[in-house]
Amino acid sequence: MRMIRWAWLLSKRLYKKAAFLLLLLLIPLAVFGLGMMAREDHGILHILLVQKNSSDPISASVVARLEEEQGLIRFSLCPSQERAEELVLRGKADGAWVFEEDLSRKIAEFFSRPLAAKGLVTVLEREATVPLRLARERLCGALFECCSQRLFLDYVRSHSEGALEVEDEVLLEYYRNAFTAVDTLFEISYADSSVSVEQIDYLTAPVRGLLSVMIALCSLAAGIWFLQDFRGGLFSWLPFRRVKFVEFGYQYLTVLNLAAFCLVALFAVGLGENLFWEIFVLLLYCLSAFGCFLRALFGSTRILALAMPLSALLMIVCCPVFFSLSGRLSWVRFLFPPTYYLEGLGDGTYLLWMVLYTLLLWGFSRLLSRFRPS
């Protein structure tokens, strides 16, 4: 009961600290800020789609398919080719795809006289870039489906007399069931998640990494607050040999309070997976002695306060928050605790390394405290 009461009083003391409340405020700002950006129109490329004849069935089918596949490439309709050219020249769009007026007839001409056939789609681009070339693969894929259906109908009717009496829609239904893959041929997903990459918005994906950095910063802030309270005489009634245990409880309880809000934020933004696994890994991560180690190393609240923004910058750059370091500097990321948490969610080996990392930091903290007992 005494431990529970002590934890309750310490938690109440935390929520009276302006710096702790500021850290809590940063959580919804980061989560809902990125969430609002994700709900806005975004994408690496913006392609305009122009239909010279909106009643053409093939043109309408291709445009509808492209509009359904919004993602890194954002598609939007444009009323005319002149307007599309103007927007591309002004930099309001990266490119435009203009579907010819009688696309169905041109596809039929393409199969009958492929060498004499003209283009099916006019592509407008201000400059030739690699992303735009890759985007054209999406256009070719959408056109291929329509062209392959037309080729199938022509082949069946020319090689089977009975097929002449069958309606086109019946033959196409057979074609879709027999030759169209139900699932995607390739599916890209993260090793630590059962959710495919296409289902994860790239703007909200870094939320977990940013929250892990905030937890590590809270550990550093806990070291500052412990020093202030210790030198202010809050623990003067305790024997000095018990101060280290109090420091551990102070550190862990402070980080745990912030981590609870981070866990709620993860599930609010849709990045949470298995609840019990998330809690287990997060509890293990909260044990990280990053703040205690830096407190024992510097022993000054001023230096620790100056180290916070620098530590945040290094963790965001070195840890796999937005990208993963590779090459000769890849080892730098293992100096910071967010790496073990982010990688450990999908690979249990990193959790073992995180335990070893935590024990090493606690050991170095105790060793440094012998030389800096105050």
Side-chain angles (χ1 to χ4, degrees), residues 241-298:
R241 65 179 180 274
R242 293 187 180 180
V243 172
K244 291 301 172 185
F245 296 100
V246 174
E247 180 186 5
F248 170 78
Y250 194 107
Q251 169 96 14
Y252 190 66
L253 192 62
T254 302
V255 176
L256 202 59
N257 273 268
L258 185 77
F261 287 91
C262 291
L263 183 64
V264 173
L266 281 175
F267 281 90
V269 80
L271 293 178
E273 296 290 330
N274 184 284
L275 177 61
F276 296 103
W277 178 249
E278 293 277 359
I279 293 176
F280 172 74
V281 178
L282 198 57
L283 289 176
L284 202 61
Y285 177 56
C286 291
L287 287 172
S288 170
F290 184 69
C292 284
F293 171 73
L294 292 182
R295 185 205 64 77
L297 180 64
F298 299 116

Side-chain angles (χ1 to χ4, degrees), residues 127-163:
E127 56 181 346
T129 62
V130 173
L132 284 173
R133 291 187 178 185
L134 294 175
R136 288 201 293 270
E137 296 298 323
R138 297 276 293 274
L139 173 62
C140 293
L143 287 172
F144 172 78
E145 181 178 353
C146 299
C147 293
S148 61
Q149 292 178 5
R150 177 68 184 184
L151 182 61
F152 173 77
L153 289 175
D154 292 345
Y155 178 84
V156 170
R157 295 194 185 284
S158 61
H159 289 76
S160 175
E161 296 181 359

Side-chain angles (χ1 to χ4, degrees), residues 161-174:
E161 296 181 359
L164 297 175
E165 302 176 358
V166 182
E167 295 181 357
D168 289 353
E169 189 58 35
V170 176
L171 292 174
L172 290 177
E173 185 66 24
Y174 170 78

Side-chain angles (χ1 to χ4, degrees), residues 49-53 56 58-60 62-63 66 81 96-124 139-148 150-151:
L49 304 176
V50 181
Q51 292 179 268
K52 290 186 176 181
N53 181 11
D56 183 84
I58 292 183
S59 174
V62 173
V63 169
L66 292 173
Q81 181 174 346
W97 297 342
V98 183
F99 296 87
E100 296 301 323
E101 187 171 0
D102 194 357
L103 193 60
S104 301
R105 181 180 58 82
K106 287 182 176 295
I107 289 177
E109 292 178 354
F110 173 78
F111 287 119
S112 60
R113 294 181 299 168
L115 297 179
K118 297 182 179 180
L120 305 176
V121 180
T122 302
V123 177
L124 304 176
L139 173 62
C140 293
L143 287 172
F144 172 78
E145 181 178 353
C146 299
C147 293
S148 61
R150 177 68 184 184
L151 182 61

